[in-house]
Amino acid sequence: MTGTFLETPVEYLKGVGPARADILKKELQIFTFGELLSLFPFRYIDRSKLFLIAEVKDDAAYVQVKGRITDVQTAGSMRAKRIVATLADDSGEMELVWFQGIKWIIDKLKPGTEYIVFGKPSWFNGHLTIAHPDLETANDQSTSVGDTFRPLYTSTEKLKSRGLDSRGISRLMKTLIQSDRFHIPENLSAEILGNLKLMNRQEAFINIHFPVSHEILQKAQARLKFEELFYIQMRLLLQKFQRTQKQSGHPFTVVGHFLNDFYHHYLSFELTNAQKKVIKEIRNDLGSGKQMNRLLQGDVGSGKTLVALMTMLIALDNNFQACLMAPTEILANQHYHNISKMVSGLGVRLDLLTGSTKPAKRKEIANGLEDGSLQILIGTHALIEENVQFKNLGFVVIDEQHRFGVAQRARLWEKNALTPHVLVMTATPIPRTLAMTLYGDLDSSIIDEMPPGRKPVITKHVYETKQEQVFDFIRKQITGGTQVYIVFPLIQESETLDLKNLMEGYESIKQIFPGPEYAIGMVHGKMKQKEKDEAMERFLKKETQILVATTVIEVGVDIPNASVMVIENAERFGLSQLHQLRGRVGRGADQSYCILISGFKLTSEAKKRIETMVETNDGFIIAETDLRLRGPGDMEGTQQSGILNLKIADIIRDEKILKYARNLATDIIRDDPNLEKETNSVIMRHLKIMNKYRENWGLIS
Ligand code: ADP
Ligand code: MG
C-alpha cells in the first residue's frame, strides 16, 4: 500500500473488500479513501430531539418520534396496495404508511416493539401520517455509530443490497476516522485559517461525519464549504489570468470605413448609454493584444445584436472575418436578414449557413471563407462543423450561449492559429452568484437599459375560466392592427401529446377567430424548416394576425407589430421561459401585453412564477427568483458546469461564503499570480492534487 492515506484505494478499507469496492466505484464513483470521506451526510438526525406525537404538525419539515407499533394493516389492492401501521406514544397516535417494499416491511415491523421513527409528516386520509419513514428499533439506536447527531448518507438500492445503507456507510466512515493512518493534510494556509477563523481540515472531516454539537457541525460545514468554493474560484481565476496575461489575441487597432460608415450613415438612431459603455469595454479588449472572452448580458430587445454587429465591423476593418452562431435556424435566419438589411450598401459580403443550406451554396460559402472574400458568416452550429474553414477568423459571436455546450464553444475557438475574440450574448440574465461560478473566467458586460420609447409590457394573469375575456381583448387588438402570439406548452416527455395539444389549440382558436376575417398561422418544432419559415414570413408580412406556436418562438424572434403574447397553461412554463416569451412583444411602438392563462390548481412554485412575471419586467430579478425557486441544478447551462457536483456548498444559500472565497482568490492571484510565495505553497500543492484527479475541470472552459 503506497501513497497517502487519502489516495489509498477503497478496497483496502476494513469492511469493504472487492465486491463492495466495486459497487462503490460503480454507484458513487468512489475509488479512494479520500473520495469516500468526501461523501458528506446530506442530513443529520438530531437524536437529542424527540417529538411527542401530539406535538407533531403536518407542516413540519422532519420530525423524530419514539413510540410503539400498535397495529399493522394492509390496505387497498393492486397498485393502491399499502401498509398502514399505527404508532403510539403516551401523547397520541399517528400512522406510518408504505406503498413500496411492502413484504419487507411486514417482516420487519414488530407490534409492541418501541421504534424511533424519522420522516416528514403530512395529512393523509384524515390522519397524521409519515410515508416511508426511516425506522429503527429504539434498542438498535444505542449501538449506532453517531452520538448526538446521526449522519444520513445517500445510498442506492445496489449499495443497500450489499449492506451499505446509510448506516453501513457511516460505519465505514468510523473505520476510516479511527484508522491509525488517518491523516487529512491541510490545504489552506495558516494565515487564511487564522484570518477567517476556520476549523482545520482534519477536524472538519471528523466533525462533518460525527459532529458532537450544532456549533461544531456548523463550523465544520463552513470550513468545508469555504474550501470547496475557494478552490473553484482559484481555478477559474487562474485560468482567466492565464488567458488574459499569456494568451495573445489579434490586436484590432484600426477603426476603418466599415464601422465609421455604418455609424455615421446607416445607424438611424442614437446608441443607448449602456450600448456605448459596452462597446467601449469591447474596444478596450480588442485593442489590448489579448484575446477577448466576454459575456454580454442584456434583456431581450436591449440591443445586444447591434453591439455584436458593430464589433464585427471592427473585425472587418482590421481585415478579419467574423461569424455569428445562433441556437436555432429561425434565429440564424432572422439575424441574417436583419444584419443584411443593416449593412446593405456598406459593401460587406455575408452569408448564411445552416443545416438546410444546399450543397451548391455550401460550396460557394466554403470558397468565400477560404479566399477571405466572405466576410461575415451567420448560422447555426453548422458553423462549427469540421469542413468549415475560415481564412482568418478574428471574431466570433455566440448568441444565447447557454444552449451551446461549452465543448462546442471550445471547438469554435480552435478554428484559427490565434484564437479569435469571443463575445457570448445571452438574453437570460444570469444571477451574479451563478455567473461567478459558471462564467467566472469570462469578463462580463451588461446592457441594463432599453432603447428609448419602449413601453414596458403589461402582464396579466387570467384563469382559464375567463378565456372569453381574453378572446375579446385579442379581437380588439387585432382590429387595432396589431398581431397576437398564442403559445402552448411543450411537454417533453411526449412529443405526440405536444402536437395534440397544439393542434387542438389551433383548431379551437380557428373556430373562435374564423376566416375570412381572421387568418391564423402555426409554428412548431416538428415542422420542416421551409414550412416554419413560411409561417413566420406570413406573420411578419401581416398575412396572419394570430400565430399559434410552441416555444420555437421563444428565442429572439423579432416581429415589432406583434403586441400580445398569450401563454396557455402558463403554469407549465419555467420562469425564464416565460420571460423569454414575453420578450417577443414590446418591440414596437405599441403598448404590448402578456397574458398568462392558467388553471386554478397551482403549485406554490407556479404561483410564485406567475406572480413574479406580473410584478416585474426586470430580467435580473426574474433570474434571481428562478434560481431560488429551482436551485442551480435545473438552470440551463449548469449541467456541464460542474457546480452540480458541489459536494457541500450551495451557491444560493452560501452566497456570502462564495463572495468571500472569490475575493480572497482574487487578492491572492493579484498578489502572487504564480503562487510562488511560501504562504501560498499549500494552495499550489492542493491545486496540483486537484489537477491530478481532474475532477470535472475539463468541462469548464
Ligand atoms: P437584442 O439582441 O438585445 O434582443 P436587438 O439588437 O435585436 O436586441 O435590438 C432590438 C431592436 O431594437 C432592434 O430592432 C434594433 O434595431 C433596435 N435597437 C437597438 N438599439 C437601439 C437603440 N439604441 N435605439 C433604438 N432602437 C434600437
Ligand atoms: Mg436577440
Side-chain angles (χ1 to χ4, degrees), residues 269-272 275 299-306 451 454 587:
F269 41 73
E270 206 26 49
L271 294 177
T272 63
Q275 283 171 318
D299 246 321
V300 271
S302 61
K304 296 181 296 298
T305 309
L306 184 70
R454 297 281 164 80
R587 310 199 129 218

Side-chain angles (χ1 to χ4, degrees), residues 377-424:
L377 185 62
I378 294 168
T380 55
H381 50 264
L383 292 188
I384 48 176
E385 277 160 22
E386 228 64 66
N387 51 9
V388 181
Q389 294 293 338
F390 291 79
K391 181 169 178 232
N392 52 357
L393 179 63
F395 176 52
V396 174
V397 187
I398 305 178
D399 192 9
E400 311 290 350
Q401 100 101 131
H402 53 282
R403 287 164 186 254
F404 289 107
V406 173
Q408 282 174 308
R409 212 188 334 148
R411 265 175 75 192
L412 251 181
W413 296 355
E414 286 163 9
K415 291 246 151 193
N416 264 34
L418 210 50
T419 315
H421 299 294
V422 176
L423 184 70
V424 172

Side-chain angles (χ1 to χ4, degrees), residues 683-693:
I683 297 174
M684 192 61 174
R685 199 160 52 229
H686 190 70
L687 284 168
K688 281 188 180 146
I689 294 172
M690 287 172 80
N691 258 340
K692 205 158 99 185
Y693 286 98

